[in-house]
Amino acid sequence: LSMFDLRTGLPTEPEWVIEDVHAVDVDRVGEYLFVVDKGVGIRVYHAPQAPAVEFIAEVQVPGALRAVPWGIHLLVAAGEQGLSIVDISMENALRVVATIDGMNAVDVQPYAHFRDDNRFAARAYVADPDYGIRSEERRVGKECRSRWSPYH
């Protein structure tokens, strides 16, 4: 995984590199990077400023292709393994809290975030090449706050 500063035109060298990561997707929320590492799952790095990058935790999600942070969860499109929901509320203890199988999830985009019956609920569009766009809803926890979330 490499970070390039595009403010100065087309760079020839990265500002920093994280070795031994086969990144297929990356997302940043605040000071944290959420990296989909091919063959491993999700890795989280604390990256307050370049080049200071510190590995924090990982969770295995077989087939992970795309991870979208939302609140205290990551919605993870995991190909033929379906859609996984990862709890990221405790930075050193990532865990899969739900898996919705029976789909080939190649991408995910959340579109609703609400509380229902005092629980977190999420709705998301899931790209499934076998069926097109699907809409999924899942209740996944009681808390809705995270130090990683810009929404809370």
Side-chain angles (χ1 to χ4, degrees), residues 58-81:
E58 81 179 27
V59 62
Q60 292 187 358
V61 180
L65 301 169
R66 173 102 168 95
V68 179
W70 206 19
I72 63 167
H73 298 97
L74 285 176
L75 303 179
V76 181
E80 293 178 355
Q81 305 301 317

Side-chain angles (χ1 to χ4, degrees), residues 2-16:
S2 303
M3 197 283 280
F4 291 88
D5 185 353
L6 300 178
R7 296 174 295 179
T8 60
L10 295 175
T12 58
E13 296 291 325
E15 285 199 11
W16 52 262

Side-chain angles (χ1 to χ4, degrees), residues 22-26 34-38 41-43 64-67:
H22 298 94
V24 294
D25 185 44
V26 63
F34 298 91
V35 178
V36 177
D37 188 356
K38 183 178 182 180
I42 309 302
R43 290 177 170 230
L65 301 169
R66 173 102 168 95

Side-chain angles (χ1 to χ4, degrees), residues 6 10 17 37 39 41-42 51 53 64 83 91 98 118-119 137 149:
L6 300 178
L10 295 175
V17 175
D37 188 356
I42 309 302
V53 179
L83 180 71
E91 69 181 32
N118 201 29
R119 295 178 57 138
E137 178 178 330
S149 174

